[in-house]
Amino acid sequence: DWFLQKTIPTAENIPFTYFNPKKQADEFEDVLEMIGVEVNDGKYDFSNAKTLLIFCNGSWCLQSALAIKNLKKIGYPEKKLLWYRGGMYSWKMLNLTTIAP
């Protein structure tokens, strides 16, 4: 619901629950495909992995941190994981451009 109100231009909405391979296995594999990770025989190939800028609603939200933690567990390259800790709250407070998708 928050994403549909306002977001950062070009942002893609991926619910943080989809980053949990134990609870959302099918969605997790879909997310991996979306971000350029190939899965072959249970092994991950990060050669085409995208650099991700992950953010939440605000600095109090832990969802981004949990998503990053789960990506790191499978070996996602840390240099390709960026975290905008201020989230949408800080983005809007700075009066930066937002869109309603």
Side-chain angles (χ1 to χ4, degrees):
D1 293 342
W2 291 99
F3 178 79
L4 296 175
Q5 292 174 20
K6 287 195 178 196
T7 192
I8 297 171
T10 73
E12 296 283 336
N13 181 35
I14 305 173
F16 90 102
T17 56
Y18 289 9
F19 286 95
N20 188 337
K22 292 180 181 173
K23 293 185 179 180
Q24 302 278 350
D26 291 340
E27 288 85 353
F28 185 69
E29 289 208 11
D30 290 343
V31 167
L32 292 179
E33 182 180 328
M34 182 180 182
I35 62 177
V37 178
E38 292 183 32
V39 183
N40 296 312
D41 295 324
K43 295 182 182 179
Y44 301 103
D45 178 1
F46 300 103
S47 56
N48 294 317
K50 296 179 182 181
T51 298
L52 307 177
L53 174 60
I54 300 173
F55 64 93
C56 286
N57 292 323
S59 59
W60 61 86
C61 183
L62 297 176
Q63 294 176 354
S64 293
L66 293 172
I68 291 168
K69 181 180 176 182
N70 284 332
L71 288 170
K72 287 171 58 175
K73 277 184 187 177
I74 65 163
Y76 205 92
E78 286 189 41
K79 66 182 179 184
K80 292 189 172 219
L81 293 171
L82 307 173
W83 183 19
Y84 180 53
R85 287 173 177 84
M88 282 304 299
Y89 180 79
S90 293
W91 191 269
K92 290 189 282 188
M93 291 295 291
L94 294 169
N95 203 29
L96 297 170
T97 302
T98 60
I99 61 165

